[in-house]
Amino acid sequence: MKPYAEDLQNQEKALENIRHKLALLPDASGCYLMKNSEGTIIYVGKAKVLKNRVRSYFTGSHNGKTQRLVSDIRDFEYIVTGSNMEALILECNLIKKHQPRYNVLLKDDKTFPYLKITNEAHPKLEVTRRVLKDKAKYFGPYPNSYAAHQTKKLLDRMYPLRKCGVMPKEVCLYYHMHQCLGPCVKEVEKETYDQIGQEIGSFLSGGHEEIKKDLQRKMQEAAEELYFERAKELRDQIISIDAMMEKQKITTSDAKDRDVFGFSVDKGWMCVQILYVRKGKMIERHMSTFPFYGEAYSDFMSYVTQYYSDNPAVPQEILLPDSPKLMQAEQVNVDQPVAAETALHSAPTADVTGQTDEKAIQTETEHSADSLLVAEERVAYAVATNQGQVGDQDAEIKETETQLSGGLEDPATAALALAEWLDVKVLVPQRGLKKQMTGMATENARVALDEKFKLIERDEERTSKAASNLGRAIGLDSLHRVEAFDNSNIQGSDPVSAMIVFIDGKPAKKEYRKYKIRSVQGPDDYETMREVIRRRYERVLKENLERPDLIVVDGGRGQIKAATDVLQNELGLFIPVCGLVKDAKHRTSQLLVGESSEAVTLARNSEEFYLLQRIQDEVHRFAITFHREQRGKSMVTSRLDSIPGIGEKRRKLLLKHFGSLKKIREASVEEFRPLSIGDKLARQIIAALREEES
């Protein structure tokens, strides 16, 4: 009880310190860093008004996931910023630096591939994941490596850029296939490369129809001149272009490059979908699923910020979804329609050259922010009226205002900050085709999240059913806990055993155990089984641990008999034991049960048989892994211990310093001197290890 009391006392002190700091919080935008009892940063957030946002964590009620975060907080720090945009960028940098456990972390940042035309005398086309300031031309990002390489494969066939890494002395096969200009043997003008670069840029920017017409013209010319092989190559290129372009699903008339975002949340998880629209056509999508602990829209914006922090290829326009709270609010029956008030949330407008319309910024921002507040007040009033709580409307509105001012949960404010940072147009559309596009991304995110949970439920249901069916097949009323054993050795050397635990058909890895065999000499599998069963269940009895419903041994009648004998005759335990027998191809073949070792017939395509396979494969994997570890250690020990002058202390020192036998063997005499090992002994060590290798 004493440690518990100390923890409570420390927690009270921490909360008292937090209360004092809350009173000093400023009315300014910035970032806050929550810390745990060890001083580790566990959450980073941004706020439009630090005082309101940070206080909200320690007042009022929260949902389960936020309570989990708050229960770990013992201190906080904050950094004041000059604007929402600065808070957005600072939060992104702090998250990437500290990797807090409760923040949304973009695990796959810096992984998006690009197509690159190198800045060389004889440029080439390549796929890269690093965007450098090297005056090369970059196109992308592509949502996955396959999409990038497929596009490169098509462009390599269409445009004769250099393919080789190092310039050869003579032409290669690509030259004869008309896929390289042959700069290794003849001079190629810079104008030719510039033209090819422009055509590739035009193609990747959506001008494929013009390219296709040009290829059709060349194909007809080749056919008329009886160059049928060349005509066939051109025809195949046209077919490839058609195949690539027919995958595109959405077309807009303005032919702009857009990234369209949508997200959905459920059961503490968030799914974000990004639709890539290039030159008005949707070419691909990218999905990320992760747990979140803060406010949904704020954490979504944190994801978006991290996404663009290492992504220099920003599109002309970014479309963000509306807040789920606001979308639900639009469906509430109020006296005056909310939708009429929330006209269009948009960020600064920018034309193709990147010029920003300051007047548009001011008008759109003021309009969207004011209309958003009016809408929220009316929704709060409507909800209060429907629940018979009209008198509490001021409190409801005040709470709503606090939430909005607390962070960047307001879509208009978030869009404005993002647009100011990226210097592109960022919109939160309310109607029309753009609204349909964000709706499509949001719906895809919702479906993906639903599918995730349905798959988990289905898997749990099937696993639980398989365990129940297996129990009935063996003659047990229930099969909650299964413990399985396997032995491993090579000709009796380094014998080990391993135990795994399955609960309701699923592995419980925290309860796995490893055993070094003590009393058995040589390859005696039965005695090994007797020792490990004895050691395991003596401890179960001594410490009153949970007993299994079934014990599974890897082997047949002999192993079953050895385990049963120890359990019943030595320990007085009557736990069912079964054995798993493998066939000639080392696959699960048969289930034997009880002292009589009766074979239980199971359909090979049944869930029960699949569960047995998983148990046998898992215990074998665990035992083999442990045996390899032990064998590796014993090999190192024997090699070094056999060298005169090397005892246990020096052996540990050598391995700690060099890291492995290989590095010791490859080391020079001088590298042993910092370990106080003389040149003579160093030469002996090196010679002995090299002699063993040979």
Side-chain angles (χ1 to χ4, degrees), residues 479-486 498-515 536-537 540 545-552 611 614-616 618-622:
L479 191 61
H480 169 64
R481 182 185 179 93
V482 177
E483 295 185 358
F485 296 84
D486 190 16
M499 182 198 78
I500 66 165
V501 178
F502 269 57
I503 296 176
D504 292 329
K506 292 186 289 187
K509 296 195 175 184
K510 288 184 179 179
E511 300 202 41
Y512 286 15
R513 296 293 181 266
K514 301 172 182 176
Y515 297 92
R536 167 61 183 168
Y537 295 103
V540 167
L545 301 176
E546 184 180 0
R547 300 179 188 182
D549 300 305
L550 178 68
I551 295 172
V552 178
L611 176 59
R614 286 179 61 205
I615 291 173
Q616 189 167 40
E618 177 68 358
V619 70
H620 183 68
R621 177 201 66 80
F622 192 53

Short mmCIF file of all heavy atoms in Angstrom, two decimals, residues 479-486 498-515 536-537 540 545-552 611 614-616 618-622:
data_model
loop_
_atom_site.label_atom_id
_atom_site.label_comp_id
_atom_site.label_asym_id
_atom_site.label_seq_id
_atom_site.Cartn_x
_atom_site.Cartn_y
_atom_site.Cartn_z
N LEU A 479 -12.92 -24.60 -24.13
CA LEU A 479 -11.49 -24.59 -24.47
C LEU A 479 -11.02 -23.14 -24.48
O LEU A 479 -10.84 -22.53 -25.52
CB LEU A 479 -11.26 -25.25 -25.84
CG LEU A 479 -9.80 -25.55 -26.19
CD1 LEU A 479 -9.20 -26.52 -25.20
CD2 LEU A 479 -9.70 -26.14 -27.59
N HIS A 480 -10.89 -22.61 -23.26
CA HIS A 480 -10.51 -21.20 -23.12
C HIS A 480 -9.00 -21.01 -23.25
O HIS A 480 -8.53 -20.18 -24.02
CB HIS A 480 -11.00 -20.69 -21.76
CG HIS A 480 -10.45 -19.35 -21.37
ND1 HIS A 480 -10.73 -18.19 -22.08
CD2 HIS A 480 -9.62 -18.98 -20.35
CE1 HIS A 480 -10.11 -17.18 -21.51
NE2 HIS A 480 -9.43 -17.63 -20.47
N ARG A 481 -8.24 -21.85 -22.54
CA ARG A 481 -6.78 -21.66 -22.48
C ARG A 481 -6.07 -22.94 -22.93
O ARG A 481 -6.35 -24.03 -22.41
CB ARG A 481 -6.36 -21.31 -21.06
CG ARG A 481 -4.87 -21.03 -20.87
CD ARG A 481 -4.54 -20.81 -19.40
NE ARG A 481 -3.12 -20.56 -19.19
CZ ARG A 481 -2.57 -19.35 -19.14
NH1 ARG A 481 -3.32 -18.28 -19.30
NH2 ARG A 481 -1.27 -19.20 -18.94
N VAL A 482 -5.16 -22.77 -23.89
CA VAL A 482 -4.36 -23.89 -24.40
C VAL A 482 -2.89 -23.56 -24.20
O VAL A 482 -2.45 -22.45 -24.53
CB VAL A 482 -4.63 -24.13 -25.90
CG1 VAL A 482 -3.74 -25.26 -26.43
CG2 VAL A 482 -6.09 -24.47 -26.14
N GLU A 483 -2.12 -24.51 -23.64
CA GLU A 483 -0.67 -24.34 -23.50
C GLU A 483 0.02 -25.42 -24.33
O GLU A 483 -0.30 -26.61 -24.19
CB GLU A 483 -0.26 -24.42 -22.03
CG GLU A 483 -0.83 -23.28 -21.20
CD GLU A 483 -0.35 -23.27 -19.76
OE1 GLU A 483 0.41 -24.18 -19.38
OE2 GLU A 483 -0.74 -22.34 -19.00
N ALA A 484 0.93 -25.01 -25.20
CA ALA A 484 1.58 -25.93 -26.12
C ALA A 484 3.09 -25.92 -25.91
O ALA A 484 3.68 -24.86 -25.64
CB ALA A 484 1.26 -25.56 -27.57
N PHE A 485 3.74 -27.10 -26.07
CA PHE A 485 5.17 -27.26 -25.81
C PHE A 485 5.87 -27.85 -27.04
O PHE A 485 5.30 -28.67 -27.77
CB PHE A 485 5.41 -28.18 -24.61
CG PHE A 485 4.88 -27.64 -23.31
CD1 PHE A 485 3.55 -27.82 -22.97
CD2 PHE A 485 5.70 -26.95 -22.44
CE1 PHE A 485 3.05 -27.32 -21.78
CE2 PHE A 485 5.22 -26.45 -21.25
CZ PHE A 485 3.88 -26.63 -20.92
N ASP A 486 7.13 -27.43 -27.23
CA ASP A 486 7.95 -28.02 -28.29
C ASP A 486 9.40 -28.01 -27.82
O ASP A 486 9.85 -27.08 -27.13
CB ASP A 486 7.82 -27.23 -29.60
CG ASP A 486 8.46 -27.94 -30.77
OD1 ASP A 486 8.75 -29.16 -30.65
OD2 ASP A 486 8.69 -27.31 -31.82
N ALA A 498 10.14 -24.77 -25.35
CA ALA A 498 9.38 -23.52 -25.34
C ALA A 498 7.91 -23.83 -25.11
O ALA A 498 7.41 -24.88 -25.51
CB ALA A 498 9.57 -22.77 -26.66
N MET A 499 7.24 -22.90 -24.46
CA MET A 499 5.80 -23.01 -24.24
C MET A 499 5.11 -21.76 -24.76
O MET A 499 5.57 -20.64 -24.52
CB MET A 499 5.50 -23.15 -22.74
CG MET A 499 4.01 -23.31 -22.44
SD MET A 499 3.57 -22.97 -20.73
CE MET A 499 3.56 -21.17 -20.72
N ILE A 500 4.02 -21.96 -25.49
CA ILE A 500 3.20 -20.82 -25.92
C ILE A 500 1.80 -20.99 -25.36
O ILE A 500 1.40 -22.08 -24.96
CB ILE A 500 3.14 -20.69 -27.45
CG1 ILE A 500 2.40 -21.89 -28.05
CG2 ILE A 500 4.52 -20.53 -28.04
CD1 ILE A 500 1.97 -21.67 -29.49
N VAL A 501 1.05 -19.91 -25.30
CA VAL A 501 -0.31 -19.91 -24.75
C VAL A 501 -1.27 -19.31 -25.77
O VAL A 501 -1.00 -18.25 -26.33
CB VAL A 501 -0.37 -19.11 -23.43
CG1 VAL A 501 -1.80 -19.09 -22.88
CG2 VAL A 501 0.58 -19.70 -22.40
N PHE A 502 -2.38 -20.00 -26.03
CA PHE A 502 -3.47 -19.48 -26.84
C PHE A 502 -4.70 -19.33 -25.95
O PHE A 502 -5.08 -20.29 -25.25
CB PHE A 502 -3.79 -20.43 -28.00
CG PHE A 502 -3.02 -20.14 -29.26
CD1 PHE A 502 -1.64 -20.11 -29.26
CD2 PHE A 502 -3.69 -19.89 -30.45
CE1 PHE A 502 -0.93 -19.84 -30.41
CE2 PHE A 502 -2.98 -19.62 -31.61
CZ PHE A 502 -1.60 -19.59 -31.60
N ILE A 503 -5.30 -18.15 -25.95
CA ILE A 503 -6.52 -17.90 -25.17
C ILE A 503 -7.65 -17.56 -26.14
O ILE A 503 -7.53 -16.62 -26.94
CB ILE A 503 -6.30 -16.75 -24.16
CG1 ILE A 503 -5.24 -17.15 -23.13
CG2 ILE A 503 -7.61 -16.40 -23.46
CD1 ILE A 503 -4.88 -16.07 -22.14
N ASP A 504 -8.70 -18.35 -26.10
CA ASP A 504 -9.84 -18.20 -27.01
C ASP A 504 -9.39 -18.19 -28.47
O ASP A 504 -9.89 -17.42 -29.29
CB ASP A 504 -10.63 -16.92 -26.70
CG ASP A 504 -11.35 -17.01 -25.36
OD1 ASP A 504 -11.73 -18.13 -24.98
OD2 ASP A 504 -11.51 -15.96 -24.70
N GLY A 505 -8.40 -19.04 -28.76
CA GLY A 505 -7.96 -19.20 -30.13
C GLY A 505 -6.95 -18.19 -30.61
O GLY A 505 -6.54 -18.22 -31.77
N LYS A 506 -6.50 -17.27 -29.73
CA LYS A 506 -5.53 -16.25 -30.14
C LYS A 506 -4.29 -16.31 -29.26
O LYS A 506 -4.39 -16.58 -28.06
CB LYS A 506 -6.16 -14.85 -30.05
CG LYS A 506 -7.27 -14.62 -31.08
CD LYS A 506 -7.77 -13.21 -31.06
CE LYS A 506 -8.56 -12.93 -29.80
NZ LYS A 506 -9.21 -11.59 -29.85
N PRO A 507 -3.10 -16.07 -29.83
CA PRO A 507 -1.86 -16.15 -29.04
C PRO A 507 -1.79 -15.07 -27.97
O PRO A 507 -2.10 -13.91 -28.24
CB PRO A 507 -0.76 -15.97 -30.09
CG PRO A 507 -1.41 -15.31 -31.25
CD PRO A 507 -2.84 -15.74 -31.24
N ALA A 508 -1.37 -15.46 -26.76
CA ALA A 508 -1.14 -14.52 -25.66
C ALA A 508 0.37 -14.46 -25.44
O ALA A 508 0.93 -15.19 -24.60
CB ALA A 508 -1.87 -14.98 -24.40
N LYS A 509 1.05 -13.62 -26.20
CA LYS A 509 2.52 -13.65 -26.25
C LYS A 509 3.19 -13.25 -24.95
O LYS A 509 4.34 -13.62 -24.71
CB LYS A 509 3.01 -12.77 -27.41
CG LYS A 509 2.55 -13.28 -28.77
CD LYS A 509 3.30 -12.66 -29.92
CE LYS A 509 2.90 -13.30 -31.23
NZ LYS A 509 3.66 -12.80 -32.38
N LYS A 510 2.50 -12.51 -24.11
CA LYS A 510 3.10 -12.13 -22.83
C LYS A 510 3.27 -13.34 -21.91
O LYS A 510 4.04 -13.28 -20.95
CB LYS A 510 2.23 -11.07 -22.14
CG LYS A 510 2.30 -9.71 -22.81
CD LYS A 510 1.50 -8.68 -22.03
CE LYS A 510 1.60 -7.31 -22.70
NZ LYS A 510 0.81 -6.28 -21.96
N GLU A 511 2.57 -14.41 -22.20
CA GLU A 511 2.64 -15.60 -21.35
C GLU A 511 3.53 -16.69 -21.93
O GLU A 511 3.58 -17.79 -21.39
CB GLU A 511 1.23 -16.13 -21.10
CG GLU A 511 0.32 -15.11 -20.42
CD GLU A 511 -0.85 -15.75 -19.72
OE1 GLU A 511 -0.66 -16.79 -19.07
OE2 GLU A 511 -1.97 -15.22 -19.83
N TYR A 512 4.20 -16.41 -23.04
CA TYR A 512 5.14 -17.39 -23.60
C TYR A 512 6.30 -17.60 -22.62
O TYR A 512 6.71 -16.67 -21.91
CB TYR A 512 5.71 -16.90 -24.93
CG TYR A 512 4.75 -16.96 -26.12
CD1 TYR A 512 3.38 -17.14 -25.95
CD2 TYR A 512 5.24 -16.83 -27.42
CE1 TYR A 512 2.53 -17.18 -27.03
CE2 TYR A 512 4.38 -16.87 -28.51
CZ TYR A 512 3.02 -17.04 -28.32
OH TYR A 512 2.18 -17.09 -29.39
N ARG A 513 6.85 -18.80 -22.59
CA ARG A 513 7.98 -19.10 -21.72
C ARG A 513 9.05 -19.91 -22.45
O ARG A 513 8.74 -20.72 -23.33
CB ARG A 513 7.51 -19.89 -20.48
CG ARG A 513 6.56 -19.14 -19.56
CD ARG A 513 7.25 -17.97 -18.88
NE ARG A 513 6.35 -17.26 -17.97
CZ ARG A 513 5.64 -16.20 -18.32
NH1 ARG A 513 5.71 -15.72 -19.57
NH2 ARG A 513 4.85 -15.59 -17.43
N LYS A 514 10.33 -19.70 -22.06
CA LYS A 514 11.47 -20.43 -22.63
C LYS A 514 12.12 -21.25 -21.51
O LYS A 514 12.18 -20.80 -20.37
CB LYS A 514 12.50 -19.46 -23.21
CG LYS A 514 11.97 -18.54 -24.29
CD LYS A 514 13.02 -17.49 -24.64
CE LYS A 514 12.52 -16.52 -25.69
NZ LYS A 514 13.51 -15.45 -25.96
N TYR A 515 12.63 -22.43 -21.87
CA TYR A 515 13.27 -23.30 -20.88
C TYR A 515 14.61 -23.83 -21.42
O TYR A 515 14.65 -24.38 -22.52
CB TYR A 515 12.37 -24.50 -20.56
CG TYR A 515 11.05 -24.13 -19.94
CD1 TYR A 515 9.92 -23.92 -20.74
CD2 TYR A 515 10.92 -23.98 -18.57
CE1 TYR A 515 8.70 -23.57 -20.18
CE2 TYR A 515 9.70 -23.63 -18.00
CZ TYR A 515 8.59 -23.43 -18.81
OH TYR A 515 7.39 -23.08 -18.25
N ARG A 536 7.11 -26.54 -15.39
CA ARG A 536 6.01 -25.60 -15.65
C ARG A 536 4.89 -25.77 -14.61
O ARG A 536 4.44 -24.79 -14.00
CB ARG A 536 5.45 -25.83 -17.06
CG ARG A 536 4.11 -25.15 -17.34
CD ARG A 536 4.19 -23.64 -17.21
NE ARG A 536 2.89 -23.01 -17.41
CZ ARG A 536 2.64 -21.74 -17.13
NH1 ARG A 536 3.59 -20.96 -16.64
NH2 ARG A 536 1.44 -21.24 -17.34
N TYR A 537 4.45 -27.00 -14.39
CA TYR A 537 3.25 -27.18 -13.58
C TYR A 537 3.55 -27.27 -12.07
O TYR A 537 2.64 -27.12 -11.26
CB TYR A 537 2.44 -28.36 -14.12
CG TYR A 537 1.93 -27.99 -15.51
CD1 TYR A 537 2.54 -28.52 -16.65
CD2 TYR A 537 0.93 -27.04 -15.66
CE1 TYR A 537 2.12 -28.13 -17.91
CE2 TYR A 537 0.51 -26.64 -16.92
CZ TYR A 537 1.12 -27.18 -18.04
OH TYR A 537 0.71 -26.77 -19.29
N VAL A 540 2.98 -23.70 -11.56
CA VAL A 540 1.54 -23.41 -11.59
C VAL A 540 0.91 -23.71 -10.23
O VAL A 540 0.11 -22.93 -9.70
CB VAL A 540 0.85 -24.21 -12.71
CG1 VAL A 540 -0.67 -24.16 -12.56
CG2 VAL A 540 1.25 -23.67 -14.08
N LEU A 545 -1.24 -20.36 -10.34
CA LEU A 545 -1.50 -19.75 -11.65
C LEU A 545 -2.70 -20.41 -12.32
O LEU A 545 -3.12 -21.51 -11.93
CB LEU A 545 -0.26 -19.89 -12.54
CG LEU A 545 1.05 -19.28 -12.01
CD1 LEU A 545 2.19 -19.59 -12.96
CD2 LEU A 545 0.90 -17.78 -11.82
N GLU A 546 -3.22 -19.74 -13.33
CA GLU A 546 -4.36 -20.29 -14.08
C GLU A 546 -3.95 -21.58 -14.79
O GLU A 546 -2.91 -21.63 -15.46
CB GLU A 546 -4.87 -19.27 -15.10
CG GLU A 546 -6.11 -19.74 -15.85
CD GLU A 546 -6.60 -18.72 -16.87
OE1 GLU A 546 -5.95 -17.65 -16.99
OE2 GLU A 546 -7.61 -19.00 -17.54
N ARG A 547 -4.77 -22.61 -14.65
CA ARG A 547 -4.47 -23.89 -15.29
C ARG A 547 -5.10 -23.94 -16.69
O ARG A 547 -6.20 -23.40 -16.90
CB ARG A 547 -5.01 -25.05 -14.46
CG ARG A 547 -4.40 -25.10 -13.06
CD ARG A 547 -4.97 -26.24 -12.24
NE ARG A 547 -4.51 -26.15 -10.85
CZ ARG A 547 -4.83 -27.04 -9.91
NH1 ARG A 547 -5.59 -28.09 -10.22
NH2 ARG A 547 -4.38 -26.89 -8.68
N PRO A 548 -4.43 -24.60 -17.62
CA PRO A 548 -4.98 -24.67 -18.98
C PRO A 548 -6.12 -25.69 -19.08
O PRO A 548 -6.21 -26.61 -18.26
CB PRO A 548 -3.77 -25.11 -19.81
CG PRO A 548 -2.95 -25.92 -18.86
CD PRO A 548 -3.12 -25.26 -17.52
N ASP A 549 -6.98 -25.51 -20.07
CA ASP A 549 -8.02 -26.50 -20.36
C ASP A 549 -7.45 -27.66 -21.17
O ASP A 549 -8.03 -28.75 -21.17
CB ASP A 549 -9.17 -25.84 -21.14
CG ASP A 549 -9.80 -24.71 -20.35
OD1 ASP A 549 -10.23 -24.95 -19.21
OD2 ASP A 549 -9.86 -23.57 -20.87
N LEU A 550 -6.34 -27.39 -21.88
CA LEU A 550 -5.73 -28.43 -22.72
C LEU A 550 -4.24 -28.17 -22.83
O LEU A 550 -3.81 -27.01 -22.96
CB LEU A 550 -6.37 -28.42 -24.12
CG LEU A 550 -5.82 -29.41 -25.15
CD1 LEU A 550 -6.17 -30.84 -24.76
CD2 LEU A 550 -6.35 -29.10 -26.54
N ILE A 551 -3.44 -29.25 -22.79
CA ILE A 551 -2.00 -29.16 -23.02
C ILE A 551 -1.70 -29.84 -24.35
O ILE A 551 -2.14 -30.97 -24.59
CB ILE A 551 -1.20 -29.84 -21.89
CG1 ILE A 551 -1.43 -29.09 -20.56
CG2 ILE A 551 0.29 -29.89 -22.22
CD1 ILE A 551 -0.85 -29.80 -19.35
N VAL A 552 -0.98 -29.15 -25.21
CA VAL A 552 -0.62 -29.68 -26.53
C VAL A 552 0.89 -29.91 -26.57
O VAL A 552 1.66 -29.00 -26.27
CB VAL A 552 -1.03 -28.71 -27.66
CG1 VAL A 552 -0.61 -29.27 -29.01
CG2 VAL A 552 -2.53 -28.46 -27.64
N LEU A 611 -6.63 -23.87 -36.74
CA LEU A 611 -6.19 -23.41 -35.42
C LEU A 611 -5.06 -24.29 -34.89
O LEU A 611 -4.06 -23.80 -34.34
CB LEU A 611 -7.36 -23.40 -34.44
CG LEU A 611 -7.06 -23.04 -32.98
CD1 LEU A 611 -6.43 -21.65 -32.89
CD2 LEU A 611 -8.33 -23.11 -32.14
N ARG A 614 -1.86 -23.41 -36.62
CA ARG A 614 -1.30 -22.16 -36.09
C ARG A 614 -0.57 -22.42 -34.77
O ARG A 614 0.51 -21.89 -34.53
CB ARG A 614 -2.40 -21.12 -35.88
CG ARG A 614 -2.93 -20.49 -37.16
CD ARG A 614 -4.03 -19.49 -36.85
NE ARG A 614 -3.54 -18.41 -36.01
CZ ARG A 614 -4.32 -17.69 -35.21
NH1 ARG A 614 -5.61 -17.95 -35.12
NH2 ARG A 614 -3.82 -16.71 -34.49
N ILE A 615 -1.19 -23.23 -33.91
CA ILE A 615 -0.56 -23.54 -32.62
C ILE A 615 0.76 -24.27 -32.83
O ILE A 615 1.79 -23.91 -32.23
CB ILE A 615 -1.53 -24.38 -31.75
CG1 ILE A 615 -2.72 -23.54 -31.31
CG2 ILE A 615 -0.79 -24.95 -30.53
CD1 ILE A 615 -3.81 -24.32 -30.60
N GLN A 616 0.75 -25.27 -33.71
CA GLN A 616 1.97 -26.06 -33.92
C GLN A 616 3.07 -25.22 -34.58
O GLN A 616 4.24 -25.28 -34.18
CB GLN A 616 1.67 -27.28 -34.79
CG GLN A 616 2.85 -28.25 -34.87
CD GLN A 616 2.45 -29.59 -35.46
OE1 GLN A 616 1.68 -29.65 -36.40
NE2 GLN A 616 2.99 -30.67 -34.90
N GLU A 618 3.41 -21.96 -34.44
CA GLU A 618 3.86 -20.90 -33.54
C GLU A 618 4.80 -21.44 -32.47
O GLU A 618 5.84 -20.84 -32.18
CB GLU A 618 2.65 -20.22 -32.90
CG GLU A 618 2.98 -19.14 -31.88
CD GLU A 618 3.63 -17.90 -32.47
OE1 GLU A 618 3.87 -17.87 -33.68
OE2 GLU A 618 3.91 -16.96 -31.71
N VAL A 619 4.47 -22.59 -31.88
CA VAL A 619 5.34 -23.13 -30.83
C VAL A 619 6.66 -23.61 -31.44
O VAL A 619 7.73 -23.47 -30.82
CB VAL A 619 4.64 -24.27 -30.05
CG1 VAL A 619 4.46 -25.52 -30.88
CG2 VAL A 619 5.40 -24.58 -28.75
N HIS A 620 6.61 -24.13 -32.66
CA HIS A 620 7.84 -24.56 -33.33
C HIS A 620 8.73 -23.35 -33.63
O HIS A 620 9.95 -23.38 -33.40
CB HIS A 620 7.49 -25.31 -34.61
CG HIS A 620 8.69 -25.85 -35.33
ND1 HIS A 620 9.48 -26.87 -34.83
CD2 HIS A 620 9.27 -25.49 -36.51
CE1 HIS A 620 10.47 -27.12 -35.67
NE2 HIS A 620 10.36 -26.29 -36.69
N ARG A 621 8.11 -22.27 -34.13
CA ARG A 621 8.87 -21.04 -34.42
C ARG A 621 9.53 -20.50 -33.17
O ARG A 621 10.71 -20.14 -33.17
CB ARG A 621 7.92 -19.99 -35.01
CG ARG A 621 8.58 -18.64 -35.28
CD ARG A 621 7.57 -17.52 -35.37
NE ARG A 621 6.91 -17.27 -34.11
CZ ARG A 621 7.43 -16.58 -33.12
NH1 ARG A 621 8.64 -16.09 -33.20
NH2 ARG A 621 6.73 -16.38 -31.99
N PHE A 622 8.78 -20.47 -32.08
CA PHE A 622 9.28 -19.91 -30.83
C PHE A 622 10.44 -20.75 -30.29
O PHE A 622 11.45 -20.21 -29.82
CB PHE A 622 8.13 -19.84 -29.82
CG PHE A 622 8.43 -19.03 -28.61
CD1 PHE A 622 8.90 -17.72 -28.71
CD2 PHE A 622 8.23 -19.55 -27.33
CE1 PHE A 622 9.17 -16.96 -27.59
CE2 PHE A 622 8.50 -18.80 -26.20
CZ PHE A 622 8.97 -17.51 -26.33
#
